[in-house]
Amino acid sequence: MPAGTTVFDDEIPGVANLGPDLLRALRQAAADAAEGGVELLIDSGWRSPEYQSQLFRAAVFEYGSEAEAARWVATPETSAHVSGDAVDLARDAAAWLSVHGAEYGLCQIYGNEPWHYELRPEAIDHGCPPVYADPTHDPRMEQ
Ligand SMILES: [Zn+2]
């Protein structure tokens, strides 16, 4: 994904292939963040299964085992990026969402990934759920 990508960049597959509800929430948040002078830039959004597989293999190489890699990178079968349900935000954007995200149903999911956000619509009324320490604690990753 090119540097400087925003949630409005429809011509970029990593943005265009995000789930419509997630994209809508991100765009609402981005419009409000912009009023506060913060641009909601994203580092990664939707990923193809092939690309996710590459990332996972690279992580296995880097961390030395599949078990350790799984703390940081999901497989294509389990990744919320592959299903279009997650975005990784640039630092300023993540900082803004850490304060305001729940108003839009946008929540940090993992304690070790402050940049990774997913849609949790119930957060609008109830706040974001507690974070998992890392993805290996997420029941969705057990496949
Ligand atoms: Zn992520």
Side-chain angles (χ1 to χ4, degrees):
M1 188 167 273
T5 297
T6 77
V7 295
F8 299 103
D9 289 332
D10 269 329
E11 73 284 4
I12 294 173
V15 174
N17 292 323
L18 288 172
D21 292 340
L22 172 61
L23 199 50
R24 200 174 304 122
L26 283 167
R27 287 177 174 173
Q28 270 174 13
D32 293 343
E35 285 181 22
V38 175
E39 197 172 15
L40 241 59
L41 299 177
I42 57 179
D43 289 335
S44 187
W46 171 83
R47 297 173 190 152
S48 70
E50 294 73 24
Y51 181 53
Q52 187 70 35
S53 179
Q54 262 178 35
L55 291 177
F56 185 71
R57 285 198 308 271
V60 171
F61 183 77
E62 184 179 349
Y63 295 106
S65 72
E66 292 200 357
E68 190 59 20
R71 296 184 57 229
W72 299 97
V73 181
T75 65
E77 291 74 30
T78 57
S79 173
H81 286 280
V82 171
S83 59
D85 295 319
V87 286
D88 293 344
L89 293 138
R91 196 173 50 187
D92 290 355
W96 192 88
L97 278 186
S98 72
V99 178
H100 302 284
E103 298 165 36
Y104 307 90
L106 295 168
C107 296
Q108 181 186 340
I109 305 299
Y110 305 120
N112 69 333
E113 295 185 13
W115 52 83
H116 177 104
Y117 274 73
E118 298 183 26
L119 188 65
R120 294 289 181 272
E122 66 277 12
I124 294 168
D125 292 324
H126 304 291
C128 286
V131 297
Y132 299 110
D134 67 56
T136 62
H137 297 269
D138 182 345
R140 295 175 302 167
M141 296 299 138
E142 286 164 18
Q143 278 192 19

